[in-house]
Amino acid sequence: MKGSLLYEGKAKKVYSLIGEEYELILEYKDEATAFNGKKHQTFRGKGRLNNLISAHVFSYLKLAGIPTHFIQTLSDTEQLVKQSQIIPLEVVVRNVAAGSMTRRLGLEEGTELPEPIVEFYYKSDDLDDPFINDEHARMLMKVDQSDLDHIKAAAHKINNHLQVMFSEIELRLIDFKLEFGRLHDGSIVLSDEISPDTCRLWDQDTNRKMDKDVFRNDIEDLVEIYEIILKRLEAIVHV
Ligand code: 5GP
């Protein structure tokens, strides 16, 4: 039974679960935001799409042996997860230069990177999620170097699995953002969501953008694009 609202973010609401101390309900909203909330719009059906897409991705990763917070979907817009203390670290993995990396390093969008790169950003709306290194992370949050090494290794492993999964549905995984949380037993698991809101996905043949960049840059209809991703995932992943 759904308990009280614990937190409301830009894309999701988090509820407690009556009688279950270590579980939470995530409810996905129809809001799309970009540029740290400066651009926002409501898309009917987006909450369902993000919830179901993320459920498929987490189910795939769970089957591949990645520890995650995901338990099961509860409805079109809700999922049950293990309660975790989110580490305020945005872990970005890049296979191809795009977005902020092209602006920061003067690389051309679409440049293949010689090997995947893992970056850390400090999750802070007030500061616009600044780029940080391991030393900043150790100073700012309750993590030690072994936690960071564990997170980086997990991020690379997740990247390997996701590249295979997305190539099966004819998409290139350009880059993506992960968040990790600590369970009550102290172990670190993959948390939050993985969806076209948090990944850059390009069509394998045409490089058509099939992710939140269609909203960020007013390219195509977000709901139509996310529907295509969900349909393709439903064909290869059983939730
Ligand atoms: P960039 O650093 O180029 O803006 O983002 C790199 C990747 O991480 C993109 O796939 C982007 O969607 C994702 N990402 C980075 N920061 C955030 C964030 O605060 N929220 C979401 N949803 N995705 C993010």
Side-chain angles (χ1 to χ4, degrees):
M1 249 230 302
K2 210 165 175 174
S4 51
L5 176 67
L6 301 176
Y7 170 78
E8 178 162 3
K10 291 190 281 259
K12 292 186 278 298
K13 291 180 183 172
V14 182
Y15 292 90
S16 63
L17 196 65
I18 293 168
E20 291 290 347
E21 197 183 344
Y22 298 123
E23 293 179 7
L24 297 171
I25 295 172
L26 299 188
E27 184 186 311
Y28 284 72
K29 305 199 294 186
D30 281 345
E31 287 305 297
T33 61
F35 313 118
N36 197 13
K38 285 179 205 78
K39 178 170 178 170
H40 51 90
Q41 196 175 324
T42 301
F43 290 94
R44 213 165 148 200
K46 178 177 180 292
R48 170 184 165 269
L49 289 164
N50 280 64
N51 179 41
L52 300 183
I53 291 171
S54 193
H56 280 78
V57 176
F58 273 75
S59 297
Y60 183 95
L61 291 173
K62 222 170 145 178
L63 211 61
I66 303 291
T68 84
H69 74 157
F70 180 73
I71 301 174
Q72 64 179 91
T73 51
L74 296 173
S75 71
D76 270 1
T77 55
E78 294 165 308
Q79 56 182 247
L80 184 65
V81 300
K82 294 178 190 161
Q83 187 217 42
S84 67
Q85 203 71 46
I86 293 287
I87 300 167
L89 191 64
E90 296 201 340
V91 180
V92 170
V93 183
R94 299 181 187 274
N95 297 307
V96 174
S100 68
M101 184 188 218
T102 58
R103 294 190 292 274
R104 192 170 51 243
L105 301 181
L107 294 171
E108 195 180 329
E109 183 184 76
T111 307
E112 288 274 354
L113 304 178
E115 56 190 74
I117 289 178
V118 174
E119 298 174 343
F120 290 152
Y121 294 81
Y122 180 32
K123 191 173 152 68
S124 161
D125 284 342
D126 289 346
L127 301 173
D128 257 345
D129 300 344
F131 188 39
I132 58 168
N133 66 20
D134 292 34
E135 289 159 58
H136 297 117
R138 294 203 305 267
M139 178 188 73
L140 291 166
M141 44 204 89
K142 285 186 202 140
V143 289
D144 56 29
Q145 194 57 44
S146 69
D147 292 330
L148 295 175
D149 292 343
H150 171 80
I151 287 171
K152 276 186 213 173
H156 280 292
K157 225 188 249 181
I158 291 163
N159 183 41
N160 291 338
H161 290 303
L162 292 185
Q163 280 188 307
V164 171
M165 188 196 74
F166 282 118
S167 77
E168 280 179 44
I169 58 167
E170 281 148 36
L171 294 172
R172 293 172 73 198
L173 178 59
I174 303 303
D175 57 31
F176 58 100
K177 185 260 303 179
L178 301 173
E179 293 184 24
F180 291 84
R182 219 183 270 282
L183 298 182
H184 67 95
D185 66 5
S187 62
I188 291 175
V189 298
L190 177 66
S191 296
D192 196 51
E193 74 173 283
I194 301 180
S195 71
D197 269 12
T198 64
C199 300
R200 283 197 174 90
L201 301 165
W202 295 357
D203 182 276
Q204 219 161 52
D205 299 322
T206 63
N207 281 335
R208 176 187 183 192
K209 293 188 161 113
M210 305 197 59
D211 54 59
K212 199 161 85 171
D213 275 350
V214 300
F215 163 69
R216 290 190 188 102
N217 304 321
D218 300 312
I219 302 171
E220 281 192 64
D221 183 69
L222 177 144
V223 170
E224 276 173 29
I225 295 286
Y226 285 26
E227 285 277 11
I228 296 172
I229 309 266
L230 176 59
K231 280 220 176 76
R232 291 189 192 176
L233 280 175
E234 282 172 343
I236 63 154
V237 185
H238 183 71
V239 173

